[in-house]
Amino acid sequence: MRLYETEIDSRLLLGTAQYPSPAILQDAITASGCQVVTVSLRRESAEGSGAGFWDLLRASGCQILPNTAGCHTVHEAVTTAQMARDLFNTPWIKLEVIGHGDTLQPDVFALVEAAQILTQDGFQVFPYTTEDLVVGEKLIEAGCQLLMPWGAPIGSGQGLRNRDGLRAMRAHFPDTPLIVDAGIGRPSDAAQAMELGMDAVLLNTAVAKAGDPVTMARAMAQAVIAGQQGHAADPMEPRDMAVPSTPTLGLAHLSELEHR
């Protein structure tokens, strides 16, 4: 998988918030096999724990994807991205511009505007968006080379609420990396996203808030691999009627044998 100029082997991207402890976070990152972790500027710069948290991320060997979590305006998002670039020394930015307080749905108008400003400033933008095709086209026109449609509201664990919309997005953008971001709650959700042809999934709460985050991280990694391989194998289409798996040709007809 190629994300801008960077090649990534693992198709699971992991968030770093809400874990019970730094040690569990570190073990979850290792168990997931991920190569990209997201982190917010607020989390890194927290007094007292910031330096230790940054040391943990560096020790993981993962690529850092800063995000603009909690931003509600173009100005907030752009300013946060610029500060994150200085702190993490990376042009990558996961761009979030929240428009609705309850669902945390992106403000797609502000998102496109912020993406255009940031790409012109040299950022490589990972936009958190909806599955709307027109918005996707506008983001690509703004300079984004990948899209991150939501599966469901952030932290909800509802899975893929609009599979048809994601399927249409895959067909409409066949050559654009698509990463399902938000809403994944179970390994089966991650597998379904990959079966639809998505390039990767990004999740946080499903692992961080699991009873056993390390085991869940490992399960998510396995689900992503299974879903990707299932998609590559060209699975059969659903049928309206049953079709016997055993050929009927050559089967004995007991009624005829009884008459004999």
Side-chain angles (χ1 to χ4, degrees), residues 23-229:
I24 292 177
L25 168 59
Q26 188 171 34
D27 289 344
I29 291 174
T30 301
S32 73
C34 71
Q35 295 173 285
V36 178
V37 294
T38 65
V39 59
S40 70
L41 184 64
R42 295 168 180 80
R43 178 69 176 86
E44 163 57 23
S45 59
E47 292 185 5
S49 63
F53 182 68
W54 180 226
D55 289 341
L56 185 155
L57 295 183
R58 280 191 299 217
S60 74
C62 293
Q63 178 93 11
I64 305 299
L65 175 58
N67 65 55
T68 61
C71 293
H72 292 262
T73 67
V74 172
H75 177 71
E76 285 180 343
V78 170
T79 302
T80 301
Q82 292 170 339
M83 294 171 64
R85 179 171 58 182
D86 292 341
L87 179 62
F88 295 107
N89 192 30
T90 176
W92 280 16
I93 191 71
K94 179 190 170 190
L95 180 61
E96 299 181 23
V97 187
I98 301 303
H100 192 271
D102 292 333
T103 65
L104 302 182
Q105 179 173 330
D107 179 341
V108 295
F109 304 100
L111 178 68
V112 172
E113 182 180 349
Q116 187 170 27
I117 294 171
L118 291 173
T119 54
Q120 290 176 350
D121 192 24
F123 282 89
Q124 297 175 347
V125 178
F126 293 59
Y128 165 60
T129 183
T130 65
E131 64 275 26
D132 189 286
L133 301 182
V134 177
V135 175
E137 289 178 345
K138 297 295 183 183
L139 287 168
I140 290 175
E141 290 173 3
C144 299
Q145 295 183 21
L146 57 84
L147 300 171
M148 302 182 74
W150 65 348
I154 294 172
S156 68
Q158 295 178 10
L160 308 182
R161 296 205 308 182
N162 187 2
R163 294 184 64 183
D164 289 339
L166 292 172
R167 188 179 290 108
M169 200 171 199
R170 177 72 287 168
H172 193 72
F173 301 104
D175 301 320
T176 301
L178 299 180
I179 303 173
V180 171
D181 176 21
I184 299 294
R186 299 172 181 271
S188 56
D189 300 331
Q192 287 174 9
M194 299 303 293
E195 287 175 355
L196 291 176
M198 300 295 109
D199 294 279
V201 297
L202 192 160
L203 52 89
N204 186 165
T205 310
V207 170
K209 290 300 184 181
D212 185 342
V214 177
T215 298
M216 182 60 76
R218 187 177 299 110
M220 287 293 186
Q222 294 169 346
V224 167
I225 293 172
Q228 181 197 8
Q229 292 180 348

Side-chain angles (χ1 to χ4, degrees), residues 229-259:
Q229 292 180 348
H231 175 74
D234 190 15
M236 63 174 285
E237 293 296 328
R239 297 166 173 171
D240 294 331
M241 299 182 65
V243 178
S245 57
T246 302
T248 57
L249 183 64
L251 288 179
H253 294 279
L254 297 182
S255 59
E256 295 180 6
L257 294 175
E258 288 173 357
H259 289 300

